Short mmCIF file of all heavy atoms in Angstrom, two decimals:
data_model
loop_
_atom_site.label_atom_id
_atom_site.label_comp_id
_atom_site.label_asym_id
_atom_site.label_seq_id
_atom_site.Cartn_x
_atom_site.Cartn_y
_atom_site.Cartn_z
N VAL F 324 28.90 29.10 210.48
CA VAL F 324 28.38 28.49 209.41
C VAL F 324 29.04 28.68 208.08
O VAL F 324 29.38 29.88 207.72
CB VAL F 324 26.81 29.07 209.27
CG1 VAL F 324 26.05 28.27 208.14
CG2 VAL F 324 26.16 28.96 210.59
N TYR F 346 29.61 21.12 219.20
CA TYR F 346 30.05 20.08 218.24
C TYR F 346 29.87 20.65 217.00
O TYR F 346 29.18 21.71 216.79
CB TYR F 346 29.37 18.75 218.50
CG TYR F 346 27.91 18.70 218.33
CD1 TYR F 346 27.13 18.45 217.25
CD2 TYR F 346 27.09 18.87 219.61
CE1 TYR F 346 25.72 18.57 217.28
CE2 TYR F 346 25.72 18.89 219.49
CZ TYR F 346 24.98 18.76 218.44
OH TYR F 346 23.61 18.69 218.39
N ARG F 381 39.43 21.05 208.91
CA ARG F 381 40.38 21.25 210.02
C ARG F 381 39.57 21.82 211.19
O ARG F 381 39.01 22.73 211.11
CB ARG F 381 41.45 22.28 209.58
CG ARG F 381 42.40 22.82 210.63
CD ARG F 381 43.08 24.01 210.06
NE ARG F 381 43.97 24.58 211.08
CZ ARG F 381 44.22 25.99 211.23
NH1 ARG F 381 43.58 26.80 210.34
NH2 ARG F 381 44.92 26.34 212.04
N VAL F 382 39.69 21.09 212.38
CA VAL F 382 38.91 21.38 213.55
C VAL F 382 39.93 21.89 214.57
O VAL F 382 41.01 21.31 214.87
CB VAL F 382 38.23 20.11 214.09
CG1 VAL F 382 37.33 20.40 215.25
CG2 VAL F 382 37.23 19.59 212.91
N GLN F 387 42.19 21.94 228.85
CA GLN F 387 43.00 22.25 229.91
C GLN F 387 44.14 21.28 230.07
O GLN F 387 43.91 19.96 230.25
CB GLN F 387 42.24 22.30 231.23
CG GLN F 387 43.03 22.85 232.36
CD GLN F 387 42.09 23.29 233.45
OE1 GLN F 387 40.76 23.44 233.46
NE2 GLN F 387 42.59 23.33 234.74
N GLU F 445 53.53 20.15 224.08
CA GLU F 445 53.90 19.47 225.34
C GLU F 445 55.21 18.80 225.11
O GLU F 445 55.92 18.39 226.07
CB GLU F 445 52.82 18.32 225.58
CG GLU F 445 52.69 17.41 224.45
CD GLU F 445 51.57 17.67 223.54
OE1 GLU F 445 51.19 18.98 223.41
OE2 GLU F 445 50.96 16.79 222.99
N ARG F 453 58.80 31.84 225.99
CA ARG F 453 57.96 33.10 226.22
C ARG F 453 58.71 33.91 227.26
O ARG F 453 58.69 35.02 227.27
CB ARG F 453 56.61 32.62 226.88
CG ARG F 453 55.69 32.04 225.69
CD ARG F 453 54.47 31.60 226.26
NE ARG F 453 53.41 31.20 225.27
CZ ARG F 453 52.66 30.12 225.35
NH1 ARG F 453 52.73 29.30 226.20
NH2 ARG F 453 51.80 29.85 224.36
N VAL F 551 50.80 46.51 196.03
CA VAL F 551 49.96 46.24 197.12
C VAL F 551 49.19 47.36 197.62
O VAL F 551 49.60 48.52 197.26
CB VAL F 551 50.74 45.66 198.37
CG1 VAL F 551 51.52 44.25 198.01
CG2 VAL F 551 51.76 46.58 198.83
N GLU F 559 50.46 62.65 207.65
CA GLU F 559 49.02 63.19 208.05
C GLU F 559 48.76 62.50 209.39
O GLU F 559 49.42 61.55 209.84
CB GLU F 559 47.98 62.85 207.00
CG GLU F 559 48.26 63.47 205.66
CD GLU F 559 48.27 64.91 205.69
OE1 GLU F 559 47.36 65.41 206.49
OE2 GLU F 559 48.82 65.55 204.72
N TYR F 567 51.16 50.70 196.48
CA TYR F 567 52.58 50.78 196.73
C TYR F 567 53.23 49.73 196.00
O TYR F 567 52.91 48.59 196.00
CB TYR F 567 52.84 50.53 198.28
CG TYR F 567 54.28 50.72 198.72
CD1 TYR F 567 54.61 52.00 199.19
CD2 TYR F 567 55.14 49.76 198.58
CE1 TYR F 567 55.84 52.08 199.73
CE2 TYR F 567 56.46 49.89 199.11
CZ TYR F 567 56.72 51.14 199.71
OH TYR F 567 58.06 51.36 199.97
N MET F 583 36.85 61.29 201.39
CA MET F 583 36.38 61.10 200.09
C MET F 583 34.80 60.87 200.16
O MET F 583 34.14 60.89 199.12
CB MET F 583 37.00 59.85 199.36
CG MET F 583 38.33 60.12 198.97
SD MET F 583 39.03 58.68 198.03
CE MET F 583 40.56 59.33 197.42
N THR F 638 17.49 43.55 200.44
CA THR F 638 16.78 42.37 200.94
C THR F 638 16.78 42.41 202.55
O THR F 638 15.83 41.82 202.98
CB THR F 638 17.52 41.08 200.46
OG1 THR F 638 17.78 41.11 199.05
CG2 THR F 638 16.95 39.76 200.97
N ILE F 644 25.66 43.26 207.08
CA ILE F 644 25.46 42.09 206.25
C ILE F 644 27.00 41.62 205.99
O ILE F 644 27.78 42.41 205.50
CB ILE F 644 24.78 42.42 204.93
CG1 ILE F 644 23.34 42.87 205.30
CG2 ILE F 644 24.61 41.15 204.16
CD1 ILE F 644 22.52 43.55 204.14
N GLN F 678 17.28 30.68 202.09
CA GLN F 678 16.49 29.92 203.18
C GLN F 678 17.07 30.41 204.55
O GLN F 678 18.35 30.65 204.61
CB GLN F 678 16.79 28.47 203.06
CG GLN F 678 16.16 27.79 201.80
CD GLN F 678 16.59 26.42 201.66
OE1 GLN F 678 17.68 26.08 200.99
NE2 GLN F 678 15.82 25.51 202.21
N ILE F 698 27.56 58.70 219.40
CA ILE F 698 27.54 60.02 219.79
C ILE F 698 29.04 60.61 219.80
O ILE F 698 30.00 59.74 219.62
CB ILE F 698 26.88 60.26 221.28
CG1 ILE F 698 27.76 59.59 222.27
CG2 ILE F 698 25.53 59.64 221.23
CD1 ILE F 698 27.46 59.96 223.65
N PRO F 720 15.69 60.81 233.00
CA PRO F 720 17.22 60.37 232.94
C PRO F 720 17.35 59.05 233.45
O PRO F 720 16.60 58.69 234.51
CB PRO F 720 17.78 61.53 233.75
CG PRO F 720 16.72 62.04 234.69
CD PRO F 720 15.44 61.96 233.79
N TYR F 791 28.64 64.77 230.25
CA TYR F 791 27.97 65.30 229.04
C TYR F 791 26.55 64.75 229.09
O TYR F 791 25.48 65.53 228.64
CB TYR F 791 28.73 64.84 227.85
CG TYR F 791 27.97 65.02 226.49
CD1 TYR F 791 27.80 66.27 225.90
CD2 TYR F 791 27.27 63.83 225.89
CE1 TYR F 791 27.05 66.27 224.70
CE2 TYR F 791 26.62 63.95 224.86
CZ TYR F 791 26.49 65.22 224.14
OH TYR F 791 25.79 65.22 223.03
N ALA F 831 35.19 46.35 238.78
CA ALA F 831 36.57 46.22 238.12
C ALA F 831 36.61 44.68 237.77
O ALA F 831 36.97 43.82 238.68
CB ALA F 831 37.72 46.53 238.98
N TYR F 859 52.67 52.69 228.44
CA TYR F 859 51.90 52.11 229.66
C TYR F 859 52.56 52.64 230.84
O TYR F 859 53.23 52.00 231.63
CB TYR F 859 52.24 50.56 229.48
CG TYR F 859 51.38 49.80 228.61
CD1 TYR F 859 50.74 50.27 227.43
CD2 TYR F 859 51.07 48.41 228.76
CE1 TYR F 859 50.10 49.60 226.66
CE2 TYR F 859 50.29 47.56 228.00
CZ TYR F 859 49.63 48.18 226.83
OH TYR F 859 49.06 47.55 226.04
N LEU F 876 33.32 46.51 243.52
CA LEU F 876 33.16 45.03 243.37
C LEU F 876 34.39 44.66 242.34
O LEU F 876 34.53 45.27 241.42
CB LEU F 876 31.91 44.68 242.72
CG LEU F 876 31.69 43.31 242.22
CD1 LEU F 876 31.84 42.20 243.46
CD2 LEU F 876 30.46 43.13 241.57
#
Side-chain angles (χ1 to χ4, degrees):
V324 183
Y346 59 90
R381 170 191 175 217
V382 182
Q387 188 168 339
E445 61 267 26
R453 287 175 170 139
V551 293
E559 302 292 332
Y567 190 93
M583 288 182 173
T638 306
I644 304 164
Q678 298 174 271
I698 67 169
Y791 167 79
Y859 280 27
L876 172 62

